Amino acid sequence: MYPPPPPQPYPSPHAPQPPAPVRQWWRHPALVVAALVVLPPVGIALAWLSRWSRNGKIAATVLSGLWFLLFLLSDPPADPAADAKPRASASAAGAAPETPSASPTPAGPPNLVGRTLADAKAAALAAGYDSVSHDASDGDARQWDAGGWTVCFQTPAERRTGDRPALDFGVGRIDAPCPVKDGEKVPWPRMPTVTGPAFGEAKQRLEPLGFKAVEPRSAYTDVPLPDSVDGWKVCFQDPRPAEEVRTPQYQTAYLSVTAPDTGCPATPNTELHPVRRSGTGEDDPDDSSGESSDGGTTGGSTTGGGSVGTVTPGAYCSTPGSTGIGGNGNVYTCKGPGQDRWRR
């Protein structure tokens, strides 16, 4: 058996007590709570230096951190004075307050005149507009190939497709000029008169029409053309004067020309030096004027149903198969090739 411990003396209530620890001012609960609200970073530091329990310190840190983040991420309050000025101006002008709309209207349509219909439709859609189209001429052609049409006129469409505004395009063929007004005829260019001047000058006059080519022809079928005919006179033209010229980019203009010292024939397809057929089959020059003639009955009588009497060899005739007697006594027949003439 161990001996019992000696009895411990109980402290006397009258014995002096140690002094209570002094609490620093920055640990005061009210100050810590105020810092957590006003300056969260400082408040959190003070909370962990205070005598609060561990759970209390964690709760204070979380709440103060959330409050600090909410303050940083929120928008600054609007200035009441700044908001009041526009409202006051609108009220003074008597303007009605604006009401929000589900689909805002575009500021204004883009000007798409001159562009192809395909490009105009795409640009209108990108700007917030639907579009419709119609033939701008007096016709009623459908625009199946949007790339082959040009926008001549642009107006707001009377009908709308959905909630968006629409544009109405008056279009014309891409290779044709636009009408002066929507719904009028296409003002096709007309062939000017270019007979009389030299070929070089006439060709320059035709350049604005945009022909595919301007080619010379000999006004006389028996006169070949030299390499250069710029100085030759124009006698006939195709297309004819005042004729509409459509799609000139695919068309060739032909100008019949003659040498500067040679007069123009009365009609196209004329020989400058007609020939007469001799009985030996050789061609002899004939000084006839080449004018068209069916011959006359001077100096002879009609023999058989197809004879017309005396004729001019090489001249034009109007009754194919008929016969006549030339001044040389030879018999001539009205036949081709080409234009019917009195031929052997």
Side-chain angles (χ1 to χ4, degrees), residues 271-322:
E271 293 179 349
L272 179 60
H273 303 291
V275 296
R276 66 171 60 183
R277 305 289 181 175
S278 66
T280 60
E282 297 180 354
D283 293 345
D284 296 328
D286 187 90
D287 58 357
S288 62
S289 62
E291 296 179 355
S292 174
S293 172
D294 285 339
T297 58
T298 60
S301 60
T302 302
T303 59
S307 178
V308 296
T310 303
V311 298
T312 302
Y316 294 121
C317 56
S318 60
T319 309
S322 60

Side-chain angles (χ1 to χ4, degrees), residues 214-278:
V214 179
E215 296 183 0
R217 286 179 173 176
S218 179
Y220 292 98
T221 57
D222 58 344
V223 177
L225 294 179
D227 293 337
S228 176
V229 294
D230 286 349
W232 284 40
K233 182 171 57 178
V234 178
C235 297
F236 309 106
Q237 63 181 76
D238 182 23
R240 293 172 297 179
E243 182 178 341
E244 283 188 349
V245 179
R246 302 192 180 193
T247 61
Q249 63 273 25
Y250 309 113
Q251 187 176 354
T252 300
Y254 296 98
L255 304 181
S256 299
V257 298
T258 186
D261 56 350
T262 304
C264 290
T267 58
N269 302 318
T270 299
E271 293 179 349
L272 179 60
H273 303 291
V275 296
R276 66 171 60 183
R277 305 289 181 175
S278 66

Side-chain angles (χ1 to χ4, degrees), residues 112-120 132-154 168-188 247 249:
L112 303 174
V113 174
R115 302 177 64 172
T116 64
L117 179 58
D119 292 344
V132 295
S133 61
H134 67 276
D135 190 348
S137 70
D138 57 346
D140 191 23
R142 302 302 178 194
Q143 297 82 54
W144 305 115
D145 52 335
W149 295 81
T150 302
V151 177
C152 298
F153 307 99
Q154 172 183 319
D168 187 0
F169 297 131
V171 297
R173 280 291 180 185
I174 198 169
D175 53 3
C178 288
V180 178
K181 293 182 179 179
D182 198 350
E184 293 187 351
K185 292 183 177 181
V186 176
W188 295 104
T247 61
Q249 63 273 25

